[in-house]
Amino acid sequence: MTGITLDQLRGQVGGDVIAPGDDAYDEARTVYNAMIDRRPAVVVRCGNVGDVVAAVNFARENGLDLAVRGGGHSVPGFGTCDDGVVIDLSGMRSVAVDAKSRTARAQGGATWGDFNDATYVHGLATTGGIISTTGVVGLTLGGGIGYLARGFGLSCDNLISADLVTADGRSVVASADENADLFWALRGGGGNFGVVTSLEFRLHPVETIYGGPMFFEVEDAGSVLRFFREFIADAPEEFGGFPAWQIAPPLPFIPEDRHGDTFLAFIACWAGPLDQGEAILKPLHDVAPVVAEHVGEMPYPALNSAFDALVPPGLQHYWKANFVTDLSDAMVDAHLEHGPKVPAVNSTVHIYPINGACHRVASDATAFAYRDANFAPVIAGMWPDPSQNEANIRWVRDYYDATAPLSQEGGYVNFMAGDDQDRIKANYRGNYDRLVQVKRTYDPDNLFHLNQNIRP
Ligand SMILES: Cc1cc2nc3c(=O)[nH]c(=O)nc-3n(C[C@H](O)[C@H](O)[C@H](O)COP(=O)(O)OP(=O)(O)OC[C@H]3O[C@@H](n4cnc5c(N)ncnc54)[C@H](O)[C@@H]3O)c2cc1C
């Protein structure tokens, strides 16, 4: 090492500094996707902004790779590295809510479970991910898609400000009034610009929702997908939800003799007046016989953690994605060909709608460029057994090959795989050159390169 030594770093950091040989090392280097098996030189469990500054300076001065980990969900494993520094923010998870101003500030390692639980007690929420263990910051920096997106926009559209530590070790604020170029880039540009120590969000009145999953037979999937295409085009914006290919898990509301069968599920969320929920969902419910359902009133955080058990840490992950403007008949046919072949109960394909409020933000107003796309589907391969890797990856790739020609060129950066780096320009379209300019200003040496990387 040419700069600060590991011993000096230990003296500067209040949180744990974990290196090979330490008892906690194996646990500290483990990320959510079990395919990723990397051995960092050091994992710094930061407890405050000062710890983050010290860890950034340590990586930069020693010329080491730097990975930043919040919730740890990155499918390509960007939250870890070989022989470099991992900044682990899992010790910084507090969420402070100001109910009067309807805002919340989440620390850099908070998960959506932390966030939703804190805001729910005030009857408030913002757009966030559908699994409670996903990190707030990683999801928001890429855009942020969830049940409330049609009503309130992407997660990044609800950002008010960000505190972050930049590559030179400065702690800066980014908002519409301060470092506005950086604030623009953070809303979609991913982890390219620094370590976010907290994000401040706008909240909205959402407490109890009406929704949940309905399971339709594969033979009816075409009717459901075509209905969804028409319905979602102008459905009230309080309606969020998506079709999903799903092998039935052994849940009590699903007939026992159908456990293990494949269905097209629809996961609905009505965040408007509760007494309207049943009527709003009725046309969808009536498309075809519903084999099993668990639909009703529930706390918003309950829906956002309802599927956690299907995706525990330690699965193998391989995902692919493209944005879609038109769910054409040819596209529906491609889904009907590949969806029923979903190979594992953990795997799925979700077709998230991103119209409504997401479209009211101009394509160049934030780094997230695809404001005219109507859908953000994800082909999410997730399975427990590494000996099944080849078959599961093949399913994802075949599905992707069939749908990509009918899709937009770019996709949502947070659904991209490790082998998607060459698609970075397409993911940002006309915003790419401006992102490069901001990158040159804040990270000219590309210290933050373990991400869907915008090269300076
Ligand atoms: C099970 C599962 C469910 C998901 N559901 C959704 C969903 O509903 N909606 C959706 O939009 N996406 C969803 N995603 C995708 C998700 O948005 C990305 O995987 C995201 O990168 C995860 O963030 P994380 O903090 O959990 O991951 P990490 O692996 O910790 O971080 C991923 C990357 O984000 C950046 N990052 C994270 N924290 C910080 C920070 N504090 N400062 C700077 N950079 C940071 C870094 O570049 C890091 O490499 C899901 C992913 C999984 C695995």
Side-chain angles (χ1 to χ4, degrees):
M1 282 178 189
T2 54
I4 306 160
T5 65
L6 207 52
D7 277 346
Q8 285 170 325
L9 179 68
R10 285 187 211 274
Q12 292 172 357
V13 169
D16 292 337
V17 175
I18 303 163
D22 290 345
D23 287 349
Y25 181 71
D26 274 335
E27 188 239 314
R29 74 184 183 87
T30 302
V31 290
Y32 185 77
N33 179 358
M35 260 188 208
I36 311 292
D37 181 21
R38 306 219 170 105
R39 307 188 71 83
V42 60
V43 177
V44 185
R45 288 210 164 130
C46 298
N48 54 42
V49 177
D51 289 357
V52 175
V53 170
V56 167
N57 289 341
F58 176 80
R60 188 193 59 246
E61 292 188 15
N62 286 301
L64 295 171
D65 277 347
L66 175 59
V68 182
R69 190 191 306 161
H73 273 202
S74 165
V75 168
F78 291 137
T80 186
C81 58
D82 278 324
D83 306 319
V85 179
V86 173
I87 291 186
D88 176 355
L89 296 160
S90 60
M92 295 174 65
R93 289 175 56 172
S94 80
V95 180
V97 181
D98 183 340
K100 211 162 152 215
S101 65
R102 289 188 180 165
T103 60
R105 183 174 283 282
Q107 281 191 308
T111 63
W112 283 104
D114 300 328
F115 191 95
N116 292 334
D117 288 350
T119 60
Y120 173 73
V121 293
H122 301 283
L124 298 167
T126 203
T127 307
I130 64 152
I131 298 292
S132 80
T133 50
T134 307
V136 170
V137 176
L139 180 139
T140 302
L141 293 182
I145 297 168
Y147 294 108
L148 304 182
R150 295 185 69 248
F152 304 124
L154 302 170
S155 306
C156 73
D157 298 334
N158 291 284
L159 260 193
I160 300 170
S161 70
D163 288 343
L164 69 161
V165 175
T166 48
D168 54 3
R170 278 183 309 140
S171 174
V172 303
V173 176
S175 69
D177 303 322
E178 259 180 283
N179 299 308
D181 54 343
L182 181 57
F183 187 54
W184 174 87
L186 288 175
R187 287 173 291 161
N192 274 283
F193 305 98
V195 185
V196 172
T197 51
S198 75
L199 292 180
E200 184 189 6
F201 288 91
R202 234 180 320 277
L203 303 176
H204 311 274
V206 175
E207 192 171 10
T208 304
I209 58 89
Y210 184 89
M214 304 167 221
F215 283 69
F216 295 95
E217 300 283 8
V218 166
E219 301 81 79
D220 295 321
S223 310
V224 176
L225 289 174
R226 281 185 287 271
F227 172 83
F228 169 63
R229 168 178 74 192
E230 310 303 328
F231 174 74
I232 206 67
D234 57 6
E237 291 184 358
E238 297 95 324
F239 181 89
F242 51 89
W245 293 106
Q246 185 64 56
I247 293 177
L251 290 170
F253 72 90
I254 301 171
E256 217 174 311
D257 62 339
R258 302 305 306 273
H259 294 174
D261 290 354
T262 300
F263 293 92
L264 184 81
F266 195 100
I267 326 299
C269 175
W270 169 251
L274 287 175
D275 58 0
Q276 296 175 12
E278 198 175 336
I280 294 284
L281 264 60
K282 189 170 185 317
L284 172 65
H285 197 273
D286 288 352
V287 174
V290 172
V291 181
E293 64 183 301
H294 191 62
V295 175
E297 293 183 14
M298 64 180 90
Y300 172 71
L303 185 60
N304 278 290
S305 50
F307 306 106
D308 287 6
L310 279 174
V311 287
L315 299 174
Q316 319 287 309
H317 287 250
Y318 184 75
W319 296 22
K320 292 294 252 186
N322 279 89
F323 289 115
V324 168
T325 307
D326 183 16
L327 208 54
S328 61
D329 285 340
M331 178 65 97
V332 169
D333 288 346
H335 282 291
L336 295 178
E337 185 186 344
H338 294 275
K341 297 178 191 160
V342 56
V345 69
N346 318 90
S347 288
T348 189
V349 173
H350 290 175
I351 307 175
Y352 298 113
I354 48 167
N355 58 349
C358 304
H359 282 193
R360 286 196 291 277
V361 179
S363 290
D364 60 357
T366 68
F368 188 98
Y370 275 88
R371 297 295 183 163
D372 54 346
N374 289 312
F375 305 98
V378 59
I379 308 161
M382 302 180 272
W383 61 100
D385 182 355
S387 72
Q388 301 300 311
N389 285 3
E390 206 183 316
N392 282 272
I393 291 171
R394 173 59 41 216
W395 173 71
V396 174
R397 289 203 174 133
D398 287 350
Y399 206 133
Y400 179 76
D401 289 348
T403 50
L406 306 165
S407 307
Q408 294 289 333
E409 197 187 347
Y412 176 37
V413 286
N414 278 349
F415 293 160
M416 290 282 144
D419 54 16
D420 279 324
Q421 182 64 50
D422 59 344
R423 299 176 60 199
I424 190 81
K425 284 189 185 171
N427 298 336
Y428 289 111
R429 286 175 157 175
N431 289 337
Y432 186 75
D433 290 346
R434 185 171 170 194
L435 280 163
V436 172
Q437 288 307 321
V438 181
K439 181 79 173 171
R440 284 182 186 154
T441 305
Y442 290 94
D443 186 16
D445 297 323
N446 208 5
L447 180 66
F448 300 104
H449 64 273
L450 296 175
N451 41 45
Q452 296 296 343
N453 194 224
I454 294 156
R455 296 202 178 92

